[in-house]
C-alpha cells in the first residue's frame, strides 16, 4: 500500500475511491490482509463516527465501522431477534478477531461464507450506500461490488421470529452451510449461505402448520428445490443439500418451540 488516508468526510472517501480501482476502504483489515490484491490507496473511515450502533422505536442503525463483537453482545439487538446475532457471530474465529472485524468489511464484499450477510438477509434490513442510497440488503447482496461506500446497515423492528443455524467441521472454521430462517405472520424467509456461493434468499413462503411434519417436509422440499449447491473442500453439493434440509427443520422447530 503506497498511500494511507484518514478521510475527513464521506465525500472525500468516495472521491478517493473513484479515482482508482486499486483504492480500498479499510475496515478491520482481517480479510483484506489475506488477499493478494494490489492496493495503492487505503481509505480509513475511522474519523467519521461510523462505529456506533444506534436504536430508536422503529430500527437499529449499525455503522459500517462497528465491530462484529458489538453486534454479538448487544442485548437489545439479540432480544429483538431471539439471540440470532449472537448465534451467528460467536463461531467466527475468536473474540479478538470479532473485536477487530467490522460490519462494513464483512458485508460489502458479499463473501459466500459470510455469517453476517446470512443473518441480515433474513431480516427487514437495508444498506445505506454513499452514492446508491438506501436499498434492501437482498438486492445489495445479489449485486456485484462496485466503488460505492457502505455507510451503515439498517435493521427494522418488525416483530419477526428468527433462528440461525450452521454446520461447521470445527467450531471456528468457515461454515459448510449457513442457514437463517425468519417468520412473520405465517410467512417464512429462508436464507442459505456458504453453499459455497453467497447467500441466497427464498422469501414469502407460507407454512400454515409448523407442527405438521408432512407440511414441514413439503415446505423444506419446496425451498431446497430453488437453491443451487456447489462442492468444495468442505463438502459436496449433495452433502450441502442434505444439510440444508436438516438446518431448515431445526430453525423451524426453534422458532415454533
Amino acid at each position: 500500500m503506497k498511500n494511507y488516508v484518514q478521510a475527513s468526510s464521506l465525500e472525500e472517501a468516495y472521491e478517493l475511491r473513484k479515482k482508482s480501482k486499486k483504492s480500498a476502504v479499510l475496515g478491520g483489515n482481517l480479510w483484506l490482509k489475506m488477499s493478494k490484491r494490489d492496493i495503492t490507496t487505503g481509505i480509513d473511515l475511522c474519523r467519521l463516527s461510523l462505529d456506533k450502533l444506534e436504536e430508536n422505536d422503529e430500527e437499529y442503525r449499525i455503522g459500517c465501522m462497528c465491530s462484529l463483537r458489538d453486534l454479538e453482545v448487544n442485548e437489545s439487538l439479540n432480544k429483538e431477534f431471539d439471540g440470532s446475532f449472537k448465534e451467528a457471530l460467536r463461531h467466527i474465529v475468536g473474540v479478538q478477531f470479532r473485536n477487530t472485524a467490522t460490519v462494513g468489511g464483512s458485508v460489502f464484499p458479499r463473501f459466500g461464507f459470510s455469517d453476517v450477510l446470512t443473518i441480515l438477509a433474513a431480516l427487514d434490513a437495508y444498506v445505506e450506500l454513499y452514492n446508491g442510497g438506501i436499498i434492501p440488503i437482498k438486492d445489495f447482496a445479489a449485486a456485484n461490488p462496485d466503488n460505492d461506500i457502505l455507510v451503515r446497515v439498517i435493521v427494522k423492528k418488525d416483530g419477526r421470529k428468527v433462528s440461525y443455524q450452521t454446520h461447521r467441521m470445527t467450531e471456528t472454521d468457515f461454515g459448510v452451510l449457513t442457514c437463517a430462517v425468519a417468520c412473520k405472520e405465517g410467512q417464512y424467509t429462508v436464507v442459505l449461505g456458504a453453499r459455497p456461493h453467497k447467500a441466497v434468499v427464498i422469501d414469502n413462503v407460507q407454512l400454515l402448520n409448523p407442527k405438521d411434519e408432512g407440511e414441514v417436509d413439503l415446505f423444506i422440499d419446496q425451498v431446497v428445490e430453488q437453491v443451487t449447491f456447489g462442492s468444495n473442500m468442505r463438502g459436496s453439493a449433495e452433502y450441502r443439500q442434505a444439510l440444508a434440509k436438516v438446518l431448515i427443520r431445526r430453525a423451524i422447530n426453534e422458532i415454533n418451540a
Side-chain angles (χ1 to χ4, degrees):
M1 186 186 302
K2 295 180 181 178
N3 302 303
Y4 167 77
V5 180
Q6 289 188 1
S8 59
S9 67
L10 282 168
E11 181 180 7
E12 180 189 4
Y14 182 63
E15 291 302 319
L16 288 168
R17 188 82 172 91
K18 286 197 304 179
K19 280 183 180 179
S20 172
K21 291 182 179 180
K22 292 186 177 182
S23 64
V25 175
L26 306 179
N29 294 320
L30 297 168
W31 304 124
L32 193 63
K33 73 180 179 64
M34 291 188 284
S35 73
K36 297 181 180 179
R37 182 178 171 187
D38 181 19
I39 299 172
T40 56
T41 303
I43 306 163
D44 196 337
L45 307 180
C46 65
R47 296 172 58 190
L48 305 184
S49 299
L50 295 173
D51 58 345
K52 295 178 174 58
L53 196 164
E54 301 170 314
E55 176 188 1
N56 58 38
D57 291 340
E58 298 180 351
E59 64 191 21
Y60 296 92
R61 298 171 64 83
I62 305 166
C64 64
M65 297 297 285
C66 280
S67 74
L68 299 187
R69 183 69 171 167
D70 291 335
L71 275 61
E72 179 187 0
V73 301
N74 187 278
E75 292 184 5
S76 175
L77 190 68
N78 279 288
K79 182 178 179 181
E80 182 72 25
F81 299 111
D82 308 300
S84 56
F85 276 92
K86 180 179 180 180
E87 181 59 30
L89 301 176
R90 70 182 179 89
H91 304 281
I92 300 176
V93 186
V95 173
Q96 296 93 332
F97 187 97
R98 299 193 297 275
N99 275 331
T100 305
T102 64
V103 172
S106 300
V107 171
F108 190 81
R110 290 92 156 170
F111 293 127
F113 57 79
S114 176
D115 295 276
V116 185
L117 198 54
T118 301
I119 185 60
L120 287 172
L123 307 176
D124 186 16
Y126 304 80
V127 294
E128 180 182 336
L129 303 171
Y130 176 75
N131 186 55
I134 297 175
I135 62 172
I137 200 161
K138 290 175 286 189
D139 297 341
F140 171 81
N144 294 319
D146 54 20
N147 286 338
D148 213 335
I149 294 176
L150 192 155
V151 180
R152 61 179 53 86
V153 174
I154 300 167
V155 184
K156 300 291 186 179
K157 298 179 178 180
D158 65 351
R160 67 182 63 195
K161 299 283 290 181
V162 192
S163 174
Y164 190 86
Q165 305 288 327
T166 184
H167 178 74
R168 286 167 155 78
M169 302 302 287
T170 60
E171 175 65 21
T172 58
D173 192 11
F174 293 126
V176 177
L177 190 73
T178 60
C179 173
V181 176
C183 176
K184 182 183 179 185
E185 299 173 352
Q187 297 291 321
Y188 283 76
T189 297
V190 178
V191 184
L192 293 168
R195 302 174 293 119
H197 319 298
K198 63 186 177 183
V200 64
V201 182
I202 311 300
D203 218 352
N204 297 321
V205 187
Q206 193 172 51
L207 177 60
L208 294 177
N209 186 3
K211 301 295 185 181
D212 186 321
E213 290 295 323
E215 187 175 341
V216 172
D217 287 341
L218 290 173
F219 173 91
I220 292 172
D221 288 341
Q222 179 185 352
V223 169
V224 172
E225 284 173 1
Q226 300 179 58
V227 180
T228 301
F229 299 92
S231 302
N232 65 3
M233 63 182 289
R234 288 182 173 81
S236 66
E238 293 77 14
Y239 181 52
R240 285 188 165 93
Q241 185 178 59
L243 270 179
K245 294 181 179 183
V246 174
L247 297 183
I248 293 170
R249 185 181 300 277
R250 287 178 182 173
I252 291 171
N253 289 341
E254 184 173 276
I255 286 172
N256 293 284

